[in-house]
Amino acid sequence: LYFPLYWACSHRVARQWCLLIGCATFHYYFAGPAGVLPVIVLGAITYLAALSRRRILCALAIALAVLALVFYKYTLFLSSGLLGWFSPELGTATLVQAKHWLPSAPPLGISFFVFEFVHYLIEVRRGSEPIRRPMDFALFTIFFPSLVAGPIKRYTQFIPSLHAGLARVELADVAAGAQRIALGFCKKVVVADNITLAINYLDMYGTVRVSAQSWIFLAVVAVRILWDFSGYC
């Protein structure tokens, strides 16, 4: 339903709003309010720090993004593991407090958001031109095809591609995109997911005992990981 609507938009501005609304809807639906708010805050800070082009503000924004990632994804590990190793009482107390403040699950795609914000700020600090249009930065942030599982985008490549795609929709691009999606679907669902079933079966019934079988098992796991990543990327 979404792609024909995007293709039907005849004007560049209408197509851009269609893309932004689609990305925002996708993110809100899967992440919810608790997952959207941290990204909005970090995104606004990153956008403004990059516009200023001041090294200290960019460095502070990078530090804040990394701290947010550590807070959402590693607080429980640090509380129960690191602090608990030094002092079980302190680790337990910190763990209780952390569970009180943390959401039930980390914000959707928080790792990819942080990595892209850090990449963006570092590139600006090195002299690259910042993204000046708020809508361009918003689309760079919540572009839904790479939102959940990457790959991490370089904004110097993404923004020109975005403008080219908004300017015109060509049948050749639609066909290439559909072919790429179909190939990725086959890699991920047909190959990788079925290999996963075989791995789980072999692991559950303990059939991997002999040394040669262990190496084959390891190779199969590697192929599964390769095709899984390759498929959804």
Side-chain angles (χ1 to χ4, degrees):
L1 293 175
Y2 171 75
F3 281 114
L5 177 64
Y6 177 84
W7 298 331
C9 293
S10 58
H11 195 272
R12 181 187 183 282
V13 176
R15 205 172 285 140
Q16 190 170 21
W17 276 105
C18 179
L19 180 59
L20 183 61
I21 292 170
C23 291
T25 303
F26 179 91
H27 188 207
Y28 186 84
Y29 179 81
F30 286 102
V36 170
L37 185 60
V39 174
I40 293 176
V41 173
L42 288 176
I45 292 172
T46 300
Y47 174 73
L48 295 173
L51 275 185
S52 73
R53 307 196 74 169
R54 296 180 61 181
R55 294 179 65 87
I56 183 64
L57 293 180
C58 289
L60 288 173
I62 290 173
L64 183 62
V66 173
L67 285 173
L69 176 62
V70 172
F71 173 73
Y72 282 110
K73 296 205 72 173
Y74 302 108
T75 298
L76 296 180
F77 167 74
L78 293 174
S79 300
S80 59
L82 192 61
L83 288 177
W85 185 75
F86 287 105
S87 172
E89 294 80 9
L90 180 60
T92 302
T94 307
L95 188 63
V96 171
Q97 289 296 322
K99 288 182 177 180
H100 177 72
W101 289 102
L102 286 170
S104 57
L108 181 71
I110 185 67
S111 299
F112 293 99
F113 284 121
V114 168
F115 294 150
E116 287 188 342
F117 289 159
V118 169
H119 141 72
Y120 172 60
L121 290 165
I122 289 175
E123 290 296 316
V124 170
R125 282 187 59 186
R126 288 176 174 173
S128 297
E129 195 66 25
I131 302 173
R132 300 198 175 276
R133 296 178 181 175
M135 188 174 287
D136 284 353
F137 184 81
L139 286 171
F140 168 69
T141 302
I142 59 171
F143 185 63
F144 75 89
S146 62
L147 183 64
V148 178
I152 297 168
K153 307 182 296 296
R154 291 185 176 273
Y155 85 97
T156 50
Q157 297 172 352
F158 175 78
I159 297 300
S161 297
L162 171 69
H163 290 167
L166 292 172
R168 65 190 183 279
V169 175
E170 297 182 353
L171 185 60
D173 291 333
V174 175
Q179 183 181 18
R180 186 169 295 183
I181 290 171
L183 178 61
F185 186 85
C186 288
K187 284 184 174 182
K188 171 71 176 72
V189 178
V190 177
V191 180
D193 287 358
N194 281 297
I195 292 177
T196 301
L197 293 176
I199 290 171
N200 292 339
Y201 176 84
L202 294 173
D203 195 42
M204 182 184 302
Y205 291 99
T207 56
V208 182
R209 293 191 181 91
V210 185
S211 179
Q213 291 179 338
S214 300
W215 283 107
I216 294 172
F217 184 78
L218 181 63
V220 170
V221 171
V223 170
R224 188 274 303 271
I225 294 173
L226 172 65
W227 282 68
D228 190 77
F229 274 68
S230 174
Y232 72 62
C233 285

